[in-house]
Amino acid sequence: MSRQSGPTIKDVARLADVSIATVSRVINHNGYISPKTNKSVQDAIKQLGYRLPRHLRDQHQTEKRIEVILPSITNPLYAELYEYIEQRMTEENYKAFLHFDKGDEHALDDYVMDIKHGTVAGVIVSSPLKTVGTINYDNLPIITFDRYIDKIPLVKCDNLEGGKKIAEKVLSLGKKKILILSGNRQDFYPLNNRIKGMLSVFNTYNIDVETNYINFVSAPIERRIQITQAITQPKYDAICCTDDITALLVKDWTVKLGYQPLVTGFDGSSFIQNFFPDLITVRQPTEEIAKLLCDLLIEKINHPSHHFEHEYLLPVTLLD
Amino acid sequence: MSRQSGPTIKDVARLADVSIATVSRVINHNGYISPKTNKSVQDAIKQLGYRLPRHLRDQHQTEKRIEVILPSITNPLYAELYEYIEQRMTEENYKAFLHFDKGDEHALDDYVMDIKHGTVAGVIVSSPLKTVGTINYDNLPIITFDRYIDKIPLVKCDNLEGGKKIAEKVLSLGKKKILILSGNRQDFYPLNNRIKGMLSVFNTYNIDVETNYINFVSAPIERRIQITQAITQPKYDAICCTDDITALLVKDWTVKLGYQPLVTGFDGSSFIQNFFPDLITVRQPTEEIAKLLCDLLIEKINHPSHHFEHEYLLPVTLLD
């Protein structure tokens, strides 16, 4: 008979003062266990440093993982969104894992090697993905934020309405010569609707409006140069940016260039509200977006055959 | 004979045009494989949707995980640090996982349930931890950023020198009535040295200096109230904050309160450099810190018996 090197399930049962069958039920998540019993068993496992049998270790990992693919968390919008997702997923006994957007030439596999190995319960993604659909992900629950990918359910804020609210505010302040400045190329999904919303209002009132685009993925110094080129000739009454980060850069540069048009943003993260409370912007309901992304994903994990809408739209608020 | 439901290792070998033994070497990371062969096998695995045998799936997970425990990523310093860590770890074929600091009553187990199950290769932590040392983590490689935990190797920037540089700059601008405002309680490790550095210079020149503390973990609105109380009576020439976020809040409020002392920060993230280029602050070398944290951890994983220093100090730069 070989001697086990570590503590055994018997040791755990003895220390927790329960039967071996009870310990087994706890570590197998099998049958009802009172919170008190669960706690004493978990405490005993910890105190003894008891290692679960390998097949259970696998199971514990397998049932818990949610992969979250986001653009850079150096944008406070995504940092805050991720913290809310992580919090919500923890409440629901899932563990969230963060991956960074690598651009639209990448497939889901490039982010999560474990997907093909079957250890991932679900995915929340806000990144263009090349090959969802070409590999068989039919059984993998996915929800997207702000990105159209095949027929995957999409959560987003009402970008169109947000654009309208900004334009109405700008008009109410008497601005007449307007630049819409986008932090990315024209076909970038959510920004497009923000611009459409703005234009629908400006065009109704026959306002003099131009649009321009800067490459948001370029380095900050290049962005500064692009912004400077976009805003200096001619001068505008108002510059409506499609995101707050672009608005901050524009605001900084207009001051340096010696003229001060009205500059508006979009996103309204808590960081922006705290440190730039004077910026006119549209607030995306970040906490509600995170909650809906998580709840839909969990619904899809537990009831894959339920009906899901293609789009879930959350309301926006003008911050002025 | 039972028929396999999915593609087999034979199918992979056929598609990649290599032998079964070669496919086996690739998926077992066993023996030399040319990059070209590795790629064609990986491509074949992807294309066919081949699932690794369970024991290999486990192994793939087991050898890869690095847990990173940080305060909120809504502070751009930590967002940037994490992105650098993630990037570096990916280059080194580890996968980083992010956890959020839950305060000093928490133990390592509360962040990473898999630690006791032996699936974690190492930990980078910038959080106070309650019980490292009381449970047996002797075999788990850990490196900390900016936090003293037992005898675990510590990486930090030269906070003392940073404090001195700030104080010298403030004096060179002729400021004489100074408040040092800390974003946390006095015993908060790294801030303490920043304050010490400032005081060592101010005291040398017999400058009128006071210190005050606000509770950084409180809600932004409470912090505003605390800041307002701290800075209004009496008025100062200069307010030296121990971090940039506090400096931004102070700057915002001094403007609103109608007086404009010099306000300095500490951390100098890229975000601050881009959007608040006028803030006098000290730059922590975030990329170098991330690289050193990763390299030391990997060294500790591969050579646990090597000698490690207790502290690794990286130089700071004054941004003015």
Side-chain angles (χ1 to χ4, degrees):
Chain A
M1 251 173 62
S2 74
R3 210 168 163 268
Q4 278 212 279
S5 62
T8 67
I9 192 168
K10 276 188 203 170
D11 301 324
V12 174
R14 200 174 302 130
L15 182 62
D17 199 18
V18 298
S19 69
I20 292 178
T22 300
V23 176
S24 170
R25 287 219 305 286
V26 169
I27 62 186
N28 283 288
H29 299 302
N30 185 9
Y32 176 74
I33 300 286
S34 77
K36 189 164 159 271
T37 303
N38 185 59
K39 190 179 180 314
S40 39
V41 172
Q42 297 290 1
D43 286 351
I45 287 172
K46 253 192 212 178
Q47 198 177 323
L48 292 169
Y50 172 68
R51 282 170 62 94
L52 291 183
R54 174 162 279 275
H55 73 280
L56 286 178
R57 275 180 261 157
D58 303 340
Q59 186 185 314
H60 275 235
Q61 287 204 312
T62 309
E63 65 198 5
K64 294 283 185 189
R65 285 183 62 161
I66 297 291
E67 315 295 327
V68 184
I69 308 168
L70 294 179
S72 169
I73 51 170
T74 59
N75 181 334
L77 178 77
Y78 292 109
E80 292 168 21
L81 185 72
Y82 184 71
E83 290 204 350
Y84 283 126
I85 289 174
E86 200 264 356
Q87 197 180 355
R88 180 79 184 161
M89 281 303 184
T90 303
E91 286 166 13
E92 299 289 337
N93 287 316
Y94 288 87
K95 181 82 193 78
F97 291 100
L98 176 63
H99 307 262
F100 297 122
D101 180 359
K102 294 170 182 164
D104 54 11
E105 284 304 299
H106 284 266
L108 210 44
D109 275 14
D110 297 336
Y111 297 98
V112 195
M113 59 172 265
D114 298 317
I115 287 179
K116 294 312 296 177
H117 310 150
T119 57
V120 170
V123 176
I124 292 173
V125 57
S126 184
S127 162
L129 288 176
K130 192 185 176 189
T131 56
V132 168
T134 69
I135 302 180
N136 182 6
Y137 288 114
D138 289 353
N139 296 320
L140 182 67
I142 309 178
I143 307 287
T144 80
F145 168 55
D146 237 356
R147 297 288 183 280
Y148 292 98
I149 305 176
D150 284 6
K151 291 164 195 162
I152 296 169
L154 162 72
V155 172
K156 61 176 188 178
C157 81
D158 193 341
N159 291 300
L160 195 76
E161 182 63 23
K164 287 182 187 171
K165 280 176 195 269
I166 283 283
E168 281 157 9
K169 177 70 192 176
V170 166
L171 290 185
S172 78
L173 293 170
K175 307 300 175 187
K176 303 210 184 306
K177 192 155 174 53
I178 288 155
L179 174 67
I180 296 174
L181 188 61
S182 172
N184 215 302
R185 59 189 187 279
Q186 197 165 2
D187 58 349
F188 195 65
Y189 325 88
L191 305 188
N192 216 6
N193 272 332
R194 296 177 191 178
I195 295 172
K196 264 191 207 160
M198 292 181 203
L199 285 175
S200 76
V201 173
F202 290 137
N203 290 338
T204 304
Y205 292 92
N206 285 315
I207 295 294
D208 179 8
V209 58
E210 290 174 33
T211 55
N212 208 330
Y213 302 90
I214 57 166
N215 182 5
F216 194 73
V217 293
S218 59
I221 184 76
E222 289 173 59
R223 265 186 275 163
R224 274 185 193 277
I225 294 167
Q226 293 180 45
I227 287 170
T228 311
Q229 287 169 343
I231 66 182
T232 40
Q233 279 302 334
K235 300 204 171 184
Y236 303 96
D237 272 334
I239 301 177
C240 301
C241 304
T242 53
D243 68 282
D244 291 337
I245 302 294
T246 304
L248 295 186
L249 285 169
V250 167
K251 232 177 168 174
D252 189 49
W253 270 93
T254 52
V255 170
K256 285 200 169 57
L257 294 167
Y259 83 104
Q260 299 200 16
L262 176 71
V263 178
T264 65
F266 204 109
D267 284 343
S269 65
S270 298
F271 191 93
I272 293 292
Q273 290 181 56
N274 285 330
F275 299 114
F276 302 92
D278 299 333
L279 183 69
I280 294 175
T281 187
V282 164
R283 188 181 85 88
Q284 297 209 49
T286 319
E287 186 170 0
E288 292 82 352
I289 288 170
K291 189 175 174 306
L292 185 57
L293 285 166
C294 294
D295 293 354
L296 286 172
L297 187 61
I298 291 167
E299 173 82 4
K300 219 169 187 319
I301 291 167
N302 294 330
H303 307 285
S305 64
H306 276 194
H307 172 74
F308 291 87
E309 304 294 330
H310 184 43
E311 271 190 31
Y312 295 84
L313 208 61
L314 287 170
V316 293
T317 319
L318 182 70
L319 300 177
D320 60 349
Chain B
M1 254 175 55
S2 73
R3 210 169 162 267
Q4 280 211 280
S5 61
T8 66
I9 192 167
K10 275 189 204 171
D11 301 324
V12 174
R14 199 175 303 130
L15 182 61
D17 200 17
V18 297
S19 68
I20 291 178
T22 301
V23 176
S24 170
R25 287 218 306 286
V26 169
I27 61 186
N28 283 288
H29 298 300
N30 185 9
Y32 176 76
I33 300 286
S34 77
K36 189 164 160 270
T37 303
N38 184 58
K39 189 180 181 313
S40 39
V41 173
Q42 297 290 2
D43 285 352
I45 287 173
K46 253 190 212 179
Q47 197 177 325
L48 293 169
Y50 172 68
R51 282 169 63 93
L52 292 183
R54 176 162 278 274
H55 73 281
L56 286 177
R57 276 182 259 157
D58 303 341
Q59 186 185 313
H60 275 236
Q61 284 204 314
T62 309
E63 65 197 4
K64 293 286 187 187
R65 284 183 63 162
I66 296 292
E67 315 294 328
V68 184
I69 308 169
L70 293 180
S72 170
I73 51 170
T74 58
N75 181 332
L77 178 78
Y78 292 109
E80 291 168 20
L81 185 72
Y82 183 71
E83 291 204 351
Y84 284 126
I85 290 173
E86 199 266 352
Q87 198 180 355
R88 181 78 184 161
M89 281 303 184
T90 303
E91 285 166 14
E92 299 289 336
N93 287 315
Y94 288 87
K95 181 82 193 79
F97 291 101
L98 177 62
H99 307 262
F100 296 122
D101 180 358
K102 294 169 184 166
D104 53 12
E105 284 303 299
H106 284 265
L108 210 44
D109 276 14
D110 298 335
Y111 298 97
V112 196
M113 60 171 266
D114 298 317
I115 287 180
K116 293 312 299 173
H117 310 150
T119 56
V120 170
V123 176
I124 292 173
V125 57
S126 184
S127 162
L129 287 177
K130 192 186 178 189
T131 56
V132 167
T134 69
I135 302 180
N136 182 6
Y137 287 115
D138 289 352
N139 296 321
L140 182 68
I142 309 179
I143 307 287
T144 80
F145 168 55
D146 237 356
R147 298 287 182 279
Y148 292 98
I149 306 176
D150 283 6
K151 291 163 194 164
I152 296 169
L154 162 73
V155 173
K156 62 176 188 177
C157 80
D158 194 341
N159 291 299
L160 194 76
E161 182 62 22
K164 287 181 188 172
K165 281 175 194 269
I166 283 283
E168 281 157 8
K169 177 69 190 177
V170 166
L171 290 185
S172 78
L173 294 170
K175 306 301 174 188
K176 302 211 185 306
K177 193 159 174 48
I178 290 157
L179 174 67
I180 297 175
L181 188 62
S182 172
N184 213 301
R185 59 188 188 281
Q186 198 165 0
D187 57 350
F188 195 64
Y189 326 89
L191 305 188
N192 216 5
N193 271 333
R194 296 177 190 177
I195 295 171
K196 264 191 206 160
M198 292 181 202
L199 286 175
S200 76
V201 172
F202 290 136
N203 290 338
T204 303
Y205 292 93
N206 285 316
I207 295 295
D208 179 8
V209 58
E210 291 173 33
T211 55
N212 207 331
Y213 302 89
I214 56 165
N215 183 6
F216 194 72
V217 293
S218 58
I221 184 76
E222 290 174 58
R223 266 186 275 162
R224 273 185 194 276
I225 293 167
Q226 293 179 48
I227 287 170
T228 311
Q229 286 168 346
I231 67 182
T232 40
Q233 279 301 333
K235 300 205 171 183
Y236 302 96
D237 271 335
I239 300 177
C240 301
C241 305
T242 53
D243 68 282
D244 290 337
I245 302 294
T246 304
L248 294 186
L249 285 169
V250 167
K251 231 178 167 173
D252 189 49
W253 271 94
T254 51
V255 170
K256 285 202 169 59
L257 294 167
Y259 83 105
Q260 301 201 15
L262 177 70
V263 178
T264 66
F266 204 109
D267 284 343
S269 65
S270 298
F271 191 91
I272 292 291
Q273 290 181 58
N274 284 330
F275 298 115
F276 302 91
D278 299 333
L279 182 69
I280 294 175
T281 187
V282 164
R283 189 182 84 87
Q284 297 209 51
T286 319
E287 187 170 0
E288 293 82 352
I289 288 171
K291 190 175 174 305
L292 186 56
L293 285 167
C294 293
D295 292 354
L296 286 172
L297 186 61
I298 291 168
E299 173 81 4
K300 220 169 188 318
I301 290 167
N302 293 329
H303 307 285
S305 62
H306 277 193
H307 172 73
F308 291 87
E309 304 294 331
H310 184 43
E311 271 191 30
Y312 295 84
L313 208 62
L314 287 169
V316 294
T317 319
L318 182 70
L319 301 176
D320 60 352

